[in-house]
Amino acid sequence: MNACSDMPGNMARKTGSHSEITGPRIRAAALHLFARHGYAAVSMRQIAAEVGVQAGALYLYTPDKQTLLFDLMRGHLEDLLQAWAAEPKGEGPLARLEAFARFHIRFHLDRPDAVFIAYMELRNLEPENFASIEALRKAYEDELETILRDGAASGLMRVPDTKLATLALIAMLTGVGTWYREGGRLSRDRVERIYWNMVRRAVGA
Amino acid sequence: MNACSDMPGNMARKTGSHSEITGPRIRAAALHLFARHGYAAVSMRQIAAEVGVQAGALYLYTPDKQTLLFDLMRGHLEDLLQAWAAEPKGEGPLARLEAFARFHIRFHLDRPDAVFIAYMELRNLEPENFASIEALRKAYEDELETILRDGAASGLMRVPDTKLATLALIAMLTGVGTWYREGGRLSRDRVERIYWNMVRRAVGA
DNA sequence: CCTTGAAATGAACGCTTGTTCAGATATGCC
DNA sequence: GGCATATCTGAACAAGCGTTCATTTCAAGG
């Protein structure tokens, strides 16, 4: 049970003197198992087994199980915000709304496990971790709300309540992950287009 | 309605079989705790403590923890189907769609805990229980899909893919439970109306 | 009064949990 | 070769898990 006759390479100019192979593998295994069975239902021993190490080895990479979950969620939401910031958005509220809808679907279809966890495991976060994650999520929602508010202000959209519309649209778009399966009846592009049409019409544009 | 799968060794109700007080109290406590912390994170001892009995007493009312979860979910979905069947629906696809949207929001706002569980704890069901619950959920989705198909066939709605639209709309409507709080900024009736307008526009009607 | 039987207790079962840590193992550098 | 250091094992810990069951409590019926 070596799993690592392949070298750890030269490491550790940084303080985090841990393997750059095992660390990511632990995160991947935890992501997969948490998404499939839920945080509380997955034991550290199960995660370790999926990676091919003993349970004790996990603690070289994470101080405890709770932090492992928190890091996964924070990593996902930071990726989300960063990817959206880097997304080309076009000009005007309508173009931006389309960019948002398509981006959201694409991003979420690429990471079904992380999306599932970020939504389902909020209740398993300790209070301060929860607050930290909620702030990130709020920042993302604000991106959409700003678009809707601009759209309403300029008369291009009809949304009686931007906050409500924001949450309704995000719920709808995120829901795609609950049923979409790769290689299914509909292509990603077709899904993107159909959803975008529903979003556009829902805001009266 | 929602009867327990297996009432323990006891026949008809002469002097009142099992306590008609404790049974429902267990279900209520389990509903509340499962919704708050998740099935896997809640112990039988915690449920018992909330009811005010010892853990062993729970087994007078349920054969095991899994069945307790299953009964909660089945009861909720059966109530949902029955309530929709009893709902006045009006005539024509558009009236039926409005009835569905408003019914769905109203029903789900009344039972946030049960809704949460029915969606989040699917992965904690053993395979045969899962299949049974999925069938009920599918039956409900079919109600909406039928409306959308009729609406599209009669030219009253524009939905390029009824299956996709069904799932998108249900996700949007169900999402209301994640943010709505009693006594908040918006009245139930206003929420219902805003959502219904978004639904109507989303299907191009 | 006694009998009945359901309702609940409280201790016990075998097992799993997250976490710790001394010791083994492997690798890179001198 | 030998030293240093990063990585991992394997056993151990206390605590908690779902579940069982002999025993107690207690209201009701004859």
Side-chain angles (χ1 to χ4, degrees), chain B residues 112-127:
Chain B
D113 286 349
V115 169
F116 207 60
I117 290 174
Y119 175 52
M120 303 277 259
E121 305 295 357
L122 281 169
R123 59 188 171 183
N124 287 307
L125 289 176
E126 285 154 12

Side-chain angles (χ1 to χ4, degrees), chain B residues 4 49 54 74 79-81 89 99 101 114 121 125 131 143 148 163 186 188 195:
Chain B
C4 203
Q54 294 296 319
R74 196 192 47 183
D79 287 353
L80 175 67
L81 284 167
K89 302 183 182 66
E121 305 295 357
L125 289 176
E143 294 289 317
L148 295 180
K163 189 69 197 156
L186 300 167
R188 277 166 175 252
Y195 268 90

Side-chain angles (χ1 to χ4, degrees), chain A residues 192-202 205, chain B residues 160 201-202:
Chain A
E192 261 187 51
R193 192 156 50 245
I194 294 177
Y195 268 90
W196 157 237
N197 269 316
M198 283 195 290
V199 167
R200 182 174 47 77
R201 292 205 278 242
Chain B
R201 293 204 279 241

Side-chain angles (χ1 to χ4, degrees), chain A residues 1-4 21-34 37 41-62 65 68:
Chain A
M1 33 201 69
N2 39 28
C4 288
I21 294 175
T22 309
R25 290 224 289 159
I26 290 173
R27 280 188 292 263
L31 197 74
H32 179 238
L33 288 170
F34 287 168
H37 305 108
V42 172
S43 71
M44 295 300 266
R45 283 170 181 83
Q46 284 177 264
I47 298 170
E50 183 125 322
V51 177
V53 297
Q54 294 296 319
L58 301 185
Y59 291 86
L60 293 173
Y61 302 90
T62 190
K65 191 188 178 191
L68 182 53

Side-chain angles (χ1 to χ4, degrees), chain A residues 13-117:
Chain A
R13 343 165 203 282
K14 301 202 166 183
T15 57
S17 54
H18 299 137
S19 162
E20 282 146 25
I21 294 175
T22 309
R25 290 224 289 159
I26 290 173
R27 280 188 292 263
L31 197 74
H32 179 238
L33 288 170
F34 287 168
R36 185 101 101 194
H37 305 108
Y39 170 77
V42 172
S43 71
M44 295 300 266
R45 283 170 181 83
Q46 284 177 264
I47 298 170
E50 183 125 322
V51 177
V53 297
Q54 294 296 319
L58 301 185
Y59 291 86
L60 293 173
Y61 302 90
T62 190
D64 51 40
K65 191 188 178 191
Q66 165 79 197
T67 305
L68 182 53
L69 172 64
F70 174 64
D71 286 342
L72 289 176
M73 295 177 69
R74 196 192 45 186
H76 171 248
L77 286 170
E78 282 172 352
D79 287 353
L80 175 67
L81 284 167
Q82 186 176 314
W84 170 242
E87 184 79 2
K89 303 185 181 65
E91 297 216 347
L94 224 55
R96 290 177 78 91
L97 182 60
E98 176 169 5
F100 185 92
R102 289 180 177 271
F103 164 80
H104 186 95
I105 288 181
R106 204 176 330 117
F107 190 91
H108 282 60
L109 284 186
D110 279 338
R111 299 158 177 79
D113 287 349
V115 168
F116 206 61
I117 289 174

Side-chain angles (χ1 to χ4, degrees), chain B residues 137-151:
Chain B
R137 186 216 291 287
K138 178 97 176 43
Y140 183 65
E141 286 174 5
D142 285 347
E143 294 289 317
L144 174 55
E145 192 176 359
T146 298
I147 294 172
L148 295 180
R149 202 165 30 231
D150 291 349

